[in-house]
Amino acid sequence: MTTNNVKKVWASGKAVVNAWLAIPSGFSAEVIAQCGFDSVTVDMQHGVQDYLSMVQCFQAMNGHPVTPMVRVPWNEPGIIGKVLDGGAYGVICPMINTRQEALDLVQYAKYPPKGTRSNGPIRSGMYGSAGGYQQTANDEIVLLPMMETKTAVENMESILDVEGINGVYIGPSDLGFSYGLVPKLDRDEPEILKIYEKIIKECGKRGLYPGIHCSGAEGAARAINMGFKLVTLSNESGLMQTYARMQVNQTRKDSNGKA
């Protein structure tokens, strides 16, 4: 029986709706964790989070049925082991371009015999009985290498064939960028949509779950209907900014020039 909510949602045949935290605040995390998301990802790559703020976010979310995940800054064993020890139940890792890099990610994230992760789950041990965490961690933890470059797309099958990953996560901005397009999230260029279709098909063949970064509900719903199995709805700073701007504009518009 899995304790990872992301895996439960996938097992039910549905797509995971994921939140994204760029702000280093337990309070923000606590607010977001109550909004109905399936998982909440702390962004240590492009967000302004550090390791301690990640732990505070996890602590704040603990009372809510969301899976705590992290986007690490890079595919490097020190930080991957450390976020897992801090309680991450999922790792999204940027810029995985080759089969070897995907193999490395699995090695860094799994305990022996499947990997080389060092034992010392200082906080993650709280998620199970003493010694129990180590027995289930290899199966419970979700690993999503990011496919976000032309090179990664060229190596798609060999990356997806790596045992131990659960799918891939598309970074649309970087992916478009590497094809000479403007970096943006909800892409509609036919050549990019064709890549998405292929990723979804190849993941489906292997029982893997493709994820993607979106800029809101419209793009997320479209991605789910295409076949994506994990969608991120912007980040909390983006959601806050969008709603705040909308409210300010509405106030100015409806106050007949008095504001």
Side-chain angles (χ1 to χ4, degrees), residues 139-180:
D139 296 324
E140 286 297 321
I141 284 152
V142 167
L143 276 187
L144 296 174
M146 288 191 74
M147 197 165 271
E148 49 184 349
T149 66
K150 199 173 175 194
T151 312
V153 170
E154 284 159 5
N155 292 323
M156 186 190 298
E157 282 98 330
S158 68
I159 290 170
L160 294 175
D161 282 338
V162 168
E163 203 179 321
I165 65 168
N166 298 94
V168 286
Y169 188 84
I170 310 302
S173 291
D174 277 308
L175 184 63
F177 217 8
S178 81
Y179 281 87

Side-chain angles (χ1 to χ4, degrees), residues 90-106:
V91 173
I92 295 172
C93 185
M95 293 287 176
I96 301 291
N97 293 318
T98 63
R99 176 178 169 79
Q100 187 56 52
E101 287 169 0
L103 285 165
D104 290 345
L105 172 64
V106 173

Side-chain angles (χ1 to χ4, degrees), residues 10-30:
W10 282 339
S12 78
K14 291 190 170 178
V16 168
V17 180
N18 177 54
W20 204 257
L21 302 180
I23 301 168
S25 159
F27 177 55
S28 297
E30 191 174 36

Side-chain angles (χ1 to χ4, degrees), residues 40-250:
V40 178
T41 300
V42 174
D43 184 11
M44 290 180 74
Q45 186 194 14
H46 291 307
V48 292
Q49 300 271 11
D50 61 22
Y51 186 75
L52 272 183
S53 68
M54 175 205 86
V55 171
Q56 284 157 3
C57 287
F58 285 179
Q59 287 169 329
M61 300 186 311
N62 212 18
H64 305 284
V66 291
T67 299
M69 307 209 299
V70 178
R71 175 165 70 172
V72 290
W74 204 246
N75 188 19
E76 183 274 310
I79 193 62
I80 290 167
K82 209 163 158 61
V83 301
L84 291 170
D85 287 348
Y89 256 35
V91 173
I92 295 172
C93 185
M95 293 287 176
I96 301 291
N97 293 318
T98 63
R99 176 178 169 79
Q100 187 56 52
E101 287 169 0
L103 285 165
D104 290 345
L105 172 64
V106 173
Q107 284 295 302
Y108 303 155
K110 305 270 187 195
Y111 286 127
K114 290 182 176 175
T116 54
R117 178 182 169 192
S118 172
N119 180 50
I122 180 139
R123 203 178 156 268
S124 50
M126 295 180 199
Y127 294 141
S129 56
Y133 171 82
Q134 287 87 339
Q135 288 158 27
T136 58
N138 279 0
D139 296 324
E140 286 297 321
I141 284 152
V142 167
L143 276 187
L144 296 174
M146 288 191 74
M147 197 165 271
E148 49 184 349
T149 66
K150 199 173 175 194
T151 312
V153 170
E154 284 159 5
N155 292 323
M156 186 190 298
E157 282 98 330
S158 68
I159 290 170
L160 294 175
D161 282 338
V162 168
E163 203 179 321
I165 65 168
N166 298 94
V168 286
Y169 188 84
I170 310 302
S173 291
D174 277 308
L175 184 63
F177 217 8
S178 81
Y179 281 87
L181 302 165
V182 174
K184 63 173 185 175
L185 287 175
D186 298 330
R187 310 213 70 100
D188 45 19
E189 301 91 348
E191 67 268 39
I192 299 290
L193 294 179
K194 215 157 145 181
I195 292 167
Y196 290 175
E197 278 164 28
K198 183 163 191 217
I199 288 169
I200 290 162
K201 195 175 101 203
E202 294 296 334
C203 281
K205 276 188 205 167
R206 296 165 174 80
L208 297 173
Y209 300 93
I212 190 164
H213 208 82
C214 307
S215 69
E218 199 186 321
R222 197 163 61 237
I224 292 169
N225 289 327
M226 273 184 80
F228 281 101
K229 292 294 182 183
L230 182 143
V231 292
T232 298
L233 307 187
S234 178
N235 57 28
E236 86 293 51
S237 62
L239 293 170
M240 185 167 73
Q241 192 181 35
T242 302
Y243 192 70
R245 189 175 280 142
M246 191 177 90
Q247 291 287 309
V248 171
N249 291 345
Q250 189 76 33

